Amino acid sequence: MMKKIRKMKPLKKAIQELESNDVLPLNIQDEVLTPDISVNEQVLKQVFENCSDIVFRPILVRRQTKMLLIYIDGLVDTKIVEQVVLKPMMFEGLPNRLENVNTTGEIIQDQLIALSQVRTVSKVREVIEGILKANLVVLTEGESQALLSDLKGFDKRNIEEPTAELSVRGPRDGFTETLRVNTSLVRRRIRSPRLKMEPYSIGELTQTDVMITYIEGIASNSVLEEVRQRVQRIQIDGVLESAFIEEFIEDFPFSPFPQIQNTERPDVLCASLLEGKVAIFVDNTPFSLIVPMTFWAGIQAAEDYYERSIYSTFIRWIRFILINISLLLPSLYVAITTYHPQLIPTNLLISIAAAREGIPFPTVVEALMMEFLFEGLREAGIRLPKHIGSAVSIVGALVIGQAAVQAGIISAPMVIIVATTGISSFSFPRYDLGTAYRVLRFPMLLVAGMLGLFGVACGTLAIIIHLNNIRSFGIPYLSPVAPQIPRELKDVLMRTPRWKMTHRPMQIAGKEKMRIPDGQKPGPNRGDQTK
């Protein structure tokens, strides 16, 4: 009896401090639970004061054993609580062979409560964390331990096709806001015990679950260790989306180019894991992170690997040309028409001069106005409701562009140039990389208006130098082009047949570089196959 009193004294003292202060004492969460269930209940009610969604449900088993169930209404499946916990205990009571159990551990061992993922804890902090993570907590009179059972039962969004990464051919499932659903989609594709998932909890208030995922032996140990260190050193009050993590772990935070790939497609993430990359899952968001990222990964679409290699290569070249058009076309038009009209054929120059007659603004100002207007219409189309946004962006561009030309404010060639640039910018498979090009388009226009083609050349050279200096978790951003690795150029601007891509990226993968054995070229006679 004296031992019981000694154990209760520290927690009761903490309760007195709690009642005398408005702020929760830091030491109360480090205290150990007491055998007195009323004391534990009082502490937890003080911790969750003014939390109307926290349910405290006392029950009495055969008028002898007092128990207390604690859970969050809306996060725990109440039907399972009623059928598996409340009904057996309140109406059936303790089985005869368990009437004299002394600890919660014995109850679990004898399977009194038929629940999965059950564990016992002894500290107040562990109980609080368990409640906040959608666990059912069971306290029993006379025991200094609590039973935690994972009974998550909140509403989940169904698995749907990703909206940001559409493809004609390929899987139609996408990540959701539920972490375990996302990890299960990856497990369905990579059925190997070498697929590892390391859990972390980030955010002082949100305690967001974060999962580092990789394939053991394929992922580089140096990259993996760097990812662990950067994730562990994050100190923040809350994580609401994977972008919160991304901003803390990227190499060059002030670069317009993304250094961490995000995706909501399980097939893209699995393909990256098989190359030796590391994925980061964040709870409450469908967007997962993939590191390291290269520039070429940003211009490759998932569908490139589901179509035949000839077609995929052709589409990649078209995409690459359109990407360069989206950056350089307005600045080249401004530079040539302003400083180098001799480069334009005579008939075309006469047409442009006739169209610009009476326009009150220089070409560079005209281009900046139209680009600003186009970006405004694009933003309006995104923010407005789905059915209204597309109509506003298309109709608005047509109406405003035509009215500006008729009013003599904007020339017709400039409308064509900006429209072509806008269409080209839609060819980016990754939205964040397209955003970088949209941002760079404005300084390129300014240097073109001031220095002509020399300014365009200087701006392009500055972008290339910047791309060469970027690293993503130690991997060069332009790899394998700079530094050049000839063997890996098979999957950059062209996509060779899958049976020829025999090795994983040398700078990204770990020990296992070989991916596909040689000599698998298809043909009518396998004896005549060549590598």
Side-chain angles (χ1 to χ4, degrees):
M1 184 66 181
M2 292 299 294
K3 290 182 180 179
K4 179 179 178 181
I5 294 174
R6 290 194 190 102
K7 288 181 181 179
M8 293 171 60
K9 277 184 178 180
L11 191 55
K12 286 188 175 181
K13 184 178 180 181
I15 294 173
Q16 294 174 357
E17 295 178 4
L18 181 62
E19 292 174 344
S20 60
N21 294 283
D22 294 332
V23 182
L24 179 68
L26 295 177
N27 62 340
I28 192 172
Q29 296 188 18
D30 296 324
E31 296 292 344
V32 179
L33 294 170
T34 73
D36 190 343
I37 194 173
S38 60
V39 174
N40 297 331
E41 180 180 4
Q42 185 180 359
V43 171
L44 294 173
K45 283 187 175 180
Q46 290 283 356
V47 171
F48 293 107
E49 186 179 7
N50 297 328
C51 298
S52 59
D53 57 339
I54 307 295
V55 178
F56 290 83
R57 178 70 166 85
I59 60 174
L60 193 61
V61 181
R62 289 188 177 180
R63 300 182 180 179
Q64 296 178 356
T65 306
K66 184 179 180 182
M67 304 184 75
L68 178 65
L69 308 183
I70 309 171
Y71 59 91
I72 298 180
D73 187 19
L75 294 185
V76 171
D77 193 333
T78 54
K79 290 184 178 180
I80 297 180
V81 173
E82 294 172 358
Q83 295 174 2
V84 179
V85 181
L86 290 177
K87 184 179 178 181
M89 287 187 176
M90 295 181 68
F91 295 100
E92 299 174 10
L94 294 172
N96 293 329
R97 65 188 181 91
L98 296 178
E99 290 287 356
N100 298 319
V101 295
N102 297 318
T103 65
T104 307
E106 292 184 32
I107 297 178
I108 301 169
Q109 185 177 357
D110 289 77
Q111 298 179 353
L112 171 63
I113 302 176
L115 301 174
S116 62
Q117 299 184 15
V118 179
R119 62 189 179 95
T120 56
V121 296
S122 58
K123 288 188 177 182
V124 176
R125 179 185 298 277
E126 295 172 328
V127 173
I128 295 172
E129 291 176 354
I131 295 172
L132 295 175
K133 291 184 177 181
N135 287 283
L136 170 68
V137 175
V138 182
L139 296 173
T140 307
E141 180 66 37
E143 298 181 14
S144 58
Q145 288 182 323
L147 174 68
L148 266 65
S149 179
D150 187 1
L151 290 179
K152 296 182 178 68
F154 48 83
D155 293 333
K156 304 174 184 177
R157 183 169 65 89
N158 294 329
I159 297 175
E160 300 172 350
E161 183 178 3
T163 57
E165 300 174 74
L166 298 175
S167 65
V168 177
R169 182 176 178 179
R172 292 288 188 266
D173 56 345
F175 290 135
T176 69
E177 287 76 13
T178 307
L179 180 63
R180 279 306 171 195
V181 173
N182 297 341
T183 57
S184 67
L185 292 175
V186 176
R187 283 286 182 189
R188 285 175 55 188
R189 289 169 167 82
I190 305 178
R191 301 174 182 178
S192 171
R194 294 170 60 188
L195 177 63
K196 306 300 181 182
M197 298 185 180
E198 300 180 1
Y200 295 87
S201 183
I202 301 178
E204 182 181 353
L205 298 178
T206 59
Q207 292 293 310
T208 305
D209 292 326
V210 176
M211 198 80 67
I212 295 179
T213 306
Y214 60 95
I215 299 179
E216 189 177 32
I218 295 180
S220 170
N221 291 330
S222 59
V223 173
L224 181 59
E225 188 60 32
E226 185 68 22
V227 174
R228 288 175 181 151
Q229 292 179 2
R230 296 189 189 187
V231 170
Q232 289 175 353
R233 72 188 182 196
I234 297 176
Q235 296 182 5
I236 190 174
D237 58 346
V239 175
L240 303 180
E241 215 273 339
S242 57
F244 286 58
I245 303 295
E246 180 178 352
E247 291 192 40
F248 277 96
I249 64 175
E250 60 185 352
D251 291 70
F252 294 84
F254 296 106
S255 172
F257 293 94
Q259 300 124 56
I260 298 175
Q261 181 179 343
N262 64 77
T263 183
E264 52 180 338
R265 293 186 62 104
D267 56 330
V268 171
L269 188 137
C270 290
S272 300
L273 293 177
L274 292 172
E275 288 182 352
K277 297 182 180 180
V278 180
I280 303 174
F281 288 102
V282 181
D283 199 12
N284 302 317
T285 176
F287 288 92
S288 301
L289 306 178
I290 301 173
V291 296
M293 177 187 178
T294 63
F295 174 81
W296 312 108
I299 64 174
Q300 295 169 356
E303 197 174 355
D304 292 350
Y305 300 93
Y306 302 138
E307 299 288 351
R308 300 179 69 244
S309 60
I310 297 175
Y311 175 74
S312 298
T313 301
F314 173 70
I315 293 299
R316 278 191 182 180
W317 273 101
I318 291 179
R319 189 184 302 139
F320 187 69
I321 292 171
L322 290 174
I323 286 172
N324 288 309
I325 286 175
S326 69
L327 176 66
L328 299 175
L329 183 60
S331 55
L332 286 174
Y333 176 79
V334 169
I336 292 174
T337 56
T338 304
Y339 294 96
H340 314 282
Q342 66 275 10
L343 298 178
I344 305 176
T346 305
N347 293 336
L348 179 59
L349 181 61
I350 293 172
S351 299
I352 294 174
R356 281 196 47 79
E357 186 178 359
I359 302 299
F361 304 108
T363 307
V364 62
V365 175
E366 186 183 3
L368 289 172
M369 289 173 57
M370 285 300 296
E371 286 291 344
F372 182 81
L373 179 61
F374 189 86
E375 293 298 328
L377 289 172
R378 187 206 300 260
E379 187 69 14
I382 295 174
R383 305 304 163 203
L384 286 172
K386 183 177 180 180
H387 299 291
I388 303 174
S390 58
V392 168
S393 58
I394 296 173
V395 175
L398 292 174
V399 172
I400 295 176
Q402 183 66 23
V405 171
Q406 291 182 352
I409 300 175
I410 303 295
S411 63
M414 181 57 69
V415 175
I416 296 173
I417 293 295
V418 173
T420 304
T421 303
I423 293 172
S424 300
S425 66
F426 293 137
S427 63
F428 283 92
R430 308 289 171 195
Y431 178 79
D432 47 0
L433 185 61
T435 303
Y437 271 69
R438 289 160 55 191
V439 171
L440 292 173
R441 197 181 302 151
F442 288 91
M444 288 293 291
L445 278 172
L446 292 175
V447 295
M450 292 186 293
L451 302 175
L453 287 179
F454 179 74
V456 175
C458 290
T460 305
L461 185 61
I463 293 174
I464 294 174
I465 293 173
H466 175 68
L467 290 173
N468 272 284
N469 290 329
I470 294 180
R471 296 288 186 275
S472 177
F473 288 81
I475 305 301
Y477 199 59
L478 291 181
S479 174
V481 174
Q484 189 176 93
I485 306 174
R487 187 179 65 186
E488 297 180 15
L489 296 177
K490 300 176 182 179
D491 192 24
V492 180
L493 292 182
M494 66 176 184
R495 207 274 282 174
T496 56
R498 197 173 304 278
W499 43 267
K500 292 195 69 174
M501 294 188 289
T502 56
H503 291 78
R504 295 184 174 90
M506 185 179 67
Q507 292 187 320
I508 296 177
K511 297 179 180 179
E512 298 184 18
K513 304 292 186 182
M514 179 68 72
R515 186 172 189 177
I516 299 174
D518 292 328
Q520 297 194 71
K521 179 181 178 181
N525 186 355
R526 293 191 175 182
D528 295 336
Q529 290 183 12
T530 57
K531 295 183 181 180

